[in-house]
């Protein structure tokens, strides 16, 4: 095989080949630059998003810790109310046991009444006994009235403490709503 190409033709072929190679390399370089730009944009967007999410998380943590302090304060108040209520429940239980004792004594005094029917012939003695029993019953009724009055006062105090506890729970509900406000700006509710 003979090579019929002249040096000029060979130079043109080499020149065209180098020109095409140069154009291919320029396209490759442009493609690399475009890929680099897009990658940089993706990284910037990702970092910006991460910074925004981080700021939102720090804000939520800040709100959460501040609201937990308020909730803890209200819980301490509720604990004081509960301990006060416990003493009132103990007092009410004591009053109820006194009322029970008074009713037992009244029952004991009422059981004497049928004996009066059988002793009609000895009426003077029975009337004296009856008068004494009625006097002791009146004293026990006075005692029962005092116990019922104490129980009413304790129930009023318990009612006030329940009202205070409802107010505290209402404040806690407001704090929970305040804590949930930052979540409302996110689209995934």
């Amino acid at each position: 095989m003979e090579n019929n190409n002249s040096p000029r033709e060979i130079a043109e072929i080499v020149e065209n080949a180098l020109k095409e190679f140069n154009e291919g390399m320029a396209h490759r370089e442009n493609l690399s630059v475009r890929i680099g730009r897009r990658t940089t944009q993706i990284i910037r967007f990702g970092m910006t998003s991460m910074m925004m999410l981080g700021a939102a998380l720090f804000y939520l943590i800040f709100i959460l810790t501040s609201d937990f302090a308020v909730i803890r304060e209200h819980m301490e108040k509720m604990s004081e109310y509960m301990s006060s209520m416990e003493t009132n429940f103990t007092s009410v239980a004591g009053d109820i046991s006194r009322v029970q004792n008074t009713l037992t004594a009244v029952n004991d005094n009422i059981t004497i009444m049928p004996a009066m029917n059988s002793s009609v012939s000895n009426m003077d003695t029975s009337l004296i006994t009856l008068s004494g029993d009625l006097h002791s019953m009146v004293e026990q009724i006075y005692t029962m009235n005092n116990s019922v009055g104490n129980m009413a006062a304790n129930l009023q105090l318990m009612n006030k403490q329940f009202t205070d506890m409802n107010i505290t729970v209402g404040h806690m509900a407001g704090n929970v709503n305040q804590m949930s406000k930052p979540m409302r700006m996110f689209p995934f509710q």
Side-chain angles (χ1 to χ4, degrees), residues 10-91:
I10 292 175
E12 284 179 13
I13 291 172
V14 169
E15 182 182 354
N16 286 335
L18 286 176
K19 192 183 282 185
E20 288 176 7
F21 179 74
N22 191 18
E23 287 174 3
M25 290 303 286
H27 284 301
R28 180 173 176 232
E29 185 178 334
N30 287 338
L31 184 62
S32 295
V33 168
R34 282 178 55 200
I35 290 171
R37 283 183 188 156
R38 286 194 182 163
T39 305
T40 303
Q41 286 177 349
I42 290 170
I43 290 172
R44 283 182 188 162
F45 179 74
M47 289 302 289
T48 304
S49 299
M50 292 294 284
M51 286 175 55
M52 288 171 56
L53 283 174
L57 284 175
F58 280 120
Y59 179 68
L60 286 174
I61 289 170
F62 172 73
I63 287 175
L64 187 66
T65 55
S66 65
D67 286 342
F68 267 128
V70 173
I71 288 173
R72 182 183 52 83
E73 202 174 288
H74 289 304
M75 292 296 273
E76 288 173 356
K77 286 180 184 176
M78 281 177 52
S79 174
E80 292 172 11
Y81 291 140
M82 289 295 189
S83 63
S84 175
M85 283 171 52
E86 180 183 357
T87 58
N88 289 332
F89 280 132
T90 305
S91 175

Side-chain angles (χ1 to χ4, degrees), residues 4-189:
N4 293 337
N5 294 334
S6 67
R8 180 151 178 79
E9 288 176 2
I10 292 175
E12 284 179 13
I13 291 172
V14 169
E15 182 182 354
N16 286 335
L18 286 176
K19 192 183 282 185
E20 288 176 7
F21 179 74
N22 191 18
E23 287 174 3
M25 290 303 286
H27 284 301
R28 180 173 176 232
E29 185 178 334
N30 287 338
L31 184 62
S32 295
V33 168
R34 282 178 55 200
I35 290 171
R37 283 183 188 156
R38 286 194 182 163
T39 305
T40 303
Q41 286 177 349
I42 290 170
I43 290 172
R44 283 182 188 162
F45 179 74
M47 289 302 289
T48 304
S49 299
M50 292 294 284
M51 286 175 55
M52 288 171 56
L53 283 174
L57 284 175
F58 280 120
Y59 179 68
L60 286 174
I61 289 170
F62 172 73
I63 287 175
L64 187 66
T65 55
S66 65
D67 286 342
F68 267 128
V70 173
I71 288 173
R72 182 183 52 83
E73 202 174 288
H74 289 304
M75 292 296 273
E76 288 173 356
K77 286 180 184 176
M78 281 177 52
S79 174
E80 292 172 11
Y81 291 140
M82 289 295 189
S83 63
S84 175
M85 283 171 52
E86 180 183 357
T87 58
N88 289 332
F89 280 132
T90 305
S91 175
V92 168
D95 290 341
I96 288 174
S97 66
R98 274 186 248 132
V99 168
Q100 182 181 7
N101 291 338
T102 303
L103 290 175
T104 304
V106 167
N107 187 30
D108 291 342
N109 290 329
I110 289 175
T111 56
I112 295 172
M113 296 288 198
M116 283 177 26
N117 289 332
S118 65
S119 62
V120 173
S121 62
N122 203 357
M123 195 173 235
D124 289 336
T125 309
S126 297
L127 287 174
I128 291 171
T129 305
L130 178 65
S131 176
D133 289 338
L134 287 175
H135 283 295
S136 71
M137 203 161 85
V138 166
E139 289 174 6
Q140 291 174 356
I141 287 174
Y142 283 139
T143 304
M144 188 170 70
N145 281 342
N146 289 337
S147 296
V148 169
N150 289 339
M151 193 164 59
N154 287 333
L155 287 174
Q156 286 178 348
L157 182 61
M158 280 174 48
N159 187 20
K160 181 188 177 304
Q161 289 175 346
F162 273 116
T163 302
D164 291 343
M165 190 171 74
N166 282 340
I167 291 170
T168 303
V169 170
H171 289 298
M172 284 175 59
N175 289 335
V176 169
N177 281 339
Q178 180 68 25
M179 283 184 353
S180 69
K181 279 184 181 177
M183 294 303 293
R184 293 183 188 147
M185 70 180 187
F186 289 105
F188 48 82
Q189 286 182 339

